[in-house]
Amino acid sequence: AQSVAQPEDQVNVAEGNPLTVKCTYSVSGNPYLFWYVQYPNRGLQFLLKYITGDNLVKGSYGFEAEFNKSQTSFHLKKPSALVSDSALYFCAVRGSYSSASKIIFGSGTRLSIRP
Amino acid sequence: NAGVTQTPKFRILKIGQSMTLQCTQDMNHNYMYWYRQDPGMGLKLIYYSVGAGITDKGEVPNGYNVSRSTTEDFPLRLELAAPSQTSVYFCASSYSAHPDNEQFFGPGTRLTVL
């Protein structure tokens, strides 16, 4: 069965420091991995995705994510956090054998960046 | 492009009332989805559609109905509202069902059933 875990409900980082938001997954077949961000009272917004190839994926707003097959992880990172990065972040996964319906979202991690 | 739009933004219903949540996309996407988001939880798929005239159940379809008469519109119907349906509802679309396609989300409808 497919699953995705975001082990931290909240991550607190000082502005200018690096940030990491963790995600681990379990799928059948090759994984397709996504990060979405949700700002208050808004829908989810696509940040980046891993399909194949380079394990380091770059996305919007300076975010990147590192795919680690042996650890089945896809952690979201940013070298220098901004206060405007404060939001709710969701990891999502689909397996290569998934139908249209089989995308699984994590429970979300609230990122708080203090000035 | 407006992307994915949803109406209304907020609604309060009494138990047993019915309503339709509207969703429209202008990206000519074949695939559309309805999710609900409960506090502290990820998104759960209610229904999805792979094209006009074709719909299928997701993870939590009970208490809801959908239709897809056009490519652009995918309304979600609540027939007999219950407090358990208090949630934020998101409509989404994607170009295809290929696993590498990201989904585009609407701004959501916050529904309270009292």
Side-chain angles (χ1 to χ4, degrees):
Chain A
Q2 293 183 175
S3 66
V4 59
Q6 294 181 243
E8 302 156 316
D9 290 336
Q10 177 139 355
V11 171
N12 299 309
V13 177
E15 187 175 27
N17 283 359
L19 68 88
T20 299
V21 182
K22 296 179 180 177
C23 172
T24 59
Y25 67 90
S26 174
V27 293
S28 300
N30 294 323
Y32 295 81
L33 295 153
F34 303 82
W35 276 102
Y36 288 84
V37 59
Q38 185 181 27
Y39 297 102
N41 301 314
R42 304 285 295 277
L44 277 69
Q45 184 176 335
F46 170 73
L47 266 183
L48 51 79
K49 63 183 176 183
Y50 172 81
I51 305 302
T52 187
D54 195 345
N55 289 343
L56 186 64
V57 179
K58 294 188 183 297
S60 306
Y61 311 121
F63 283 92
E64 57 191 26
E66 186 170 12
F67 171 65
N68 187 315
K69 187 173 183 177
S70 63
Q71 297 186 2
T72 62
S73 67
F74 189 55
H75 300 333
L76 182 69
K77 300 181 179 185
K78 188 173 183 180
S80 178
L82 298 172
V83 172
S84 57
D85 293 330
S86 298
L88 189 57
Y89 290 81
F90 290 94
C91 182
V93 64
R94 286 176 75 175
S96 54
Y97 306 132
S98 296
S99 68
S101 64
K102 296 298 183 186
I103 181 168
I104 304 297
F105 287 86
S107 57
T109 297
R110 187 165 300 280
L111 179 63
S112 178
I113 310 299
R114 62 183 182 274
Chain B
N1 286 353
V4 180
T5 58
Q6 293 181 238
T7 57
K9 290 185 179 178
F10 305 94
R11 184 73 185 268
I12 298 175
L13 283 182
K14 294 182 179 179
I15 295 172
Q17 287 185 320
S18 62
M19 78 164 292
T20 299
L21 282 67
Q22 302 292 345
C23 175
T24 300
Q25 54 90 10
D26 63 358
M27 297 174 283
N28 202 32
H29 285 172
N30 288 319
Y31 291 79
M32 296 186 74
Y33 314 83
W34 273 106
Y35 294 92
R36 58 178 288 170
Q37 182 183 29
D38 299 318
M41 308 287 288
L43 278 69
K44 296 209 182 285
L45 183 68
I46 305 171
Y47 271 94
Y48 69 102
S49 170
V50 303
I54 307 170
T55 63
D56 206 349
K57 295 178 180 179
E59 189 180 356
V60 289
N62 291 344
Y64 307 94
N65 278 300
V66 293
S67 60
R68 184 94 181 272
S69 57
T70 66
T71 299
E72 295 78 19
D73 300 307
F74 190 41
L76 177 72
R77 178 86 178 159
L78 283 71
E79 291 293 349
L80 290 171
S84 61
Q85 294 177 306
T86 294
S87 190
V88 181
Y89 292 83
F90 289 102
C91 180
S93 71
S94 64
Y95 176 69
S96 79
H98 195 277
D100 72 353
N101 270 209
E102 64 267 29
Q103 296 184 7
F104 295 80
F105 285 81
T109 294
R110 186 175 296 275
L111 176 66
T112 301
V113 182
L114 301 174

